[in-house]
Amino acid sequence: GNLMAAYKDNTNNGFVVNIQTNKNTTEVKKLYKENLENNGWQIVLDISQNGVVSFMGQKDQRTIMVGAEEKDGLVNVTLIISQKLD
């Protein structure tokens, strides 16, 4: 995919990354879930539905939220990495 934006989020001591890809949401979800789990992340919440991806993983003291939605034939992916949310 193409990196659209990346920035530090000072509110939760984390980072936000936006990517645009021509993969569909099913492919995006599979790719991110498999890679996160293979690297020791535990998926703790998955509320994906109707072609919209939304899930959260935790590892050590970090949380990642992955979101993806199709718009105009491309899929916009948002990754939010922060300190672990309690």
Side-chain angles (χ1 to χ4, degrees), residues 16-50:
V16 178
V17 177
N18 293 309
I19 300 165
Q20 194 171 65
T21 182
N22 58 4
K23 294 185 183 300
N24 65 44
T25 56
T26 301
E27 293 173 300
V28 168
K29 180 178 177 181
K30 182 178 185 224
L31 174 76
Y32 279 97
K33 281 186 88 169
E34 284 180 358
N35 279 294
L36 287 168
E37 289 173 334
N38 288 341
N39 284 285
W41 290 80
Q42 179 183 1
I43 305 304
V44 295
L45 177 67
D46 186 345
I47 55 172
S48 303
Q49 61 182 348
N50 301 324

Side-chain angles (χ1 to χ4, degrees), residues 53-71:
V53 173
S54 183
F55 67 89
M56 182 171 71
Q58 293 181 337
K59 178 180 178 181
D60 303 325
Q61 294 302 311
R62 295 171 289 164
T63 296
I64 187 167
M65 289 177 267
V66 179
E69 186 172 13
E70 185 178 343
K71 182 177 180 184

Side-chain angles (χ1 to χ4, degrees), residues 5-10 14-18 78-81:
Y7 55 92
K8 184 170 175 44
D9 182 355
N10 292 322
F15 297 91
V16 178
V17 177
N18 293 309
T78 302
L79 308 171
I80 302 171
I81 304 158

